[in-house]
Amino acid sequence: MIIKTILAALVAGLIAGAFMTAAQELRVTPLILHAEEYEGEEPAAGQPITEQPATEQQHSHLKQQSAVDYVLAALSPITPAYAHAEGEHEEGGIMFGMSRFSGTLLANLVAGSGFGLLLAGVSLVIGYPITLRNGALWGACGWLAVHLLPALGLPPELPGFPAADLQDRQIWWVATILFSGAGLYLIVLRAEIVAKAAGLLLLIAPHLYGAPQPVDISSAVPAVLGAEFAVAALATTLAFWIVLGVLSGFINDRFLKSA
């Protein structure tokens, strides 16, 4: 039974990861490419930031991203599976010459499988199976815990945006996910008023403490572009989690119960 649950989670995660890649290519990746044009620029003091496209040579170089970077970014405990490495890479990447799209697809397949296993593991531990009826709820809770609630303190960031120390952000991000997951469990699955109150407290505790913030918030990237990216990134991850939850429930209903 456990083996079949794991296989079902992997299948659902791979499908959701492929879906995620298509969704990112439509909306998220173009915004990243646009923001990369501003890398290396300094905001002019006292002057509004205007768009200054990079040279053809710079644009060609910035389009090249290592598949390794994308895998590490997708697995990194920072809201940004969209984090950007500033290091230079040889054309075509450093992992079997994979393109940006291939690297993104690989990272999303790995991340999708991991999140699928995470949902399955949590459902087994708490004894609340994922079904087609509640799959969307499972997905929504996963999105809230892993993306939306941490994004209240550390929103998805574009290349060139200022950020606090990486280790500080990682610690806060992981702690927020753990607190959020426990809080959602108490609110959604426990009927006691005390449990729901404790769950609400767990949800807000990381934000009362506060996420680490950069000292200097100046950036050459227009703020409106960053806001557009944050919305697109969160919408994409929401679609991913809903697909993951519904697929996991469908596979469990169709194959596990009939076994």
Side-chain angles (χ1 to χ4, degrees):
M1 180 65 179
I2 294 180
I3 298 299
K4 291 184 178 180
T5 300
I6 293 175
L7 291 176
L10 288 174
V11 171
L14 290 173
I15 296 175
F19 169 83
M20 177 83 159
T21 303
Q24 286 179 337
E25 284 297 307
L26 289 175
R27 191 58 188 145
V28 176
T29 300
L31 293 174
I32 295 176
L33 292 175
H34 190 185
E36 284 176 348
E37 297 175 3
Y38 296 92
E39 283 191 300
E41 297 181 9
E42 294 291 338
Q47 295 183 0
I49 299 175
T50 57
E51 296 189 6
Q52 299 179 3
T55 64
E56 181 178 350
Q57 181 179 4
Q58 291 172 329
H59 189 68
S60 175
H61 165 71
L62 290 171
K63 275 191 171 184
Q64 304 301 327
Q65 179 63 287
S66 162
V68 171
D69 291 331
Y70 272 93
V71 173
L72 295 179
L75 299 178
S76 173
I78 292 292
T79 303
Y82 318 104
H84 178 72
E86 295 180 357
E88 295 187 357
H89 304 289
E90 296 180 1
E91 185 170 347
I94 61 174
M95 185 177 179
F96 309 116
M98 296 180 72
S99 65
R100 177 189 291 267
F101 175 81
S102 300
T104 303
L105 175 60
L106 175 61
N108 286 336
L109 292 177
V110 173
S113 300
F115 286 131
L117 291 173
L118 177 64
L119 280 187
V122 171
S123 71
L124 290 173
V125 169
I126 67 176
Y128 192 78
I130 305 174
T131 65
L132 183 58
R133 182 184 297 272
N134 63 27
L137 177 61
W138 270 97
C141 288
W143 176 71
L144 283 171
V146 177
H147 292 283
L148 182 61
L149 292 174
L152 296 179
L154 293 175
E157 59 197 32
L158 276 168
F161 259 50
D165 179 73
L166 176 61
Q167 184 176 2
D168 292 341
R169 287 182 291 149
Q170 289 177 330
I171 294 174
W172 186 89
W173 190 85
V174 171
T176 302
I177 288 182
L178 295 176
F179 275 67
S180 299
L184 289 171
Y185 165 74
L186 293 175
I187 292 174
V188 176
L189 296 179
R190 298 295 293 270
E192 304 92 336
I193 298 298
V194 174
K196 293 185 181 297
L200 181 61
L201 180 60
L202 286 173
L203 292 185
I204 66 176
H207 306 284
L208 291 177
Y209 179 83
Q213 300 297 331
V215 176
D216 183 8
I217 61 173
S218 60
S219 174
V221 182
V224 65
L225 187 61
E228 187 178 359
F229 173 77
V231 172
L234 290 173
T236 302
T237 52
L238 173 60
F240 162 79
W241 278 99
I242 296 299
V243 169
L244 178 61
V246 171
L247 279 176
S248 297
F250 172 77
I251 295 174
N252 287 339
D253 283 352
R254 185 70 180 271
F255 300 103
L256 296 186
K257 288 186 176 180
S258 62

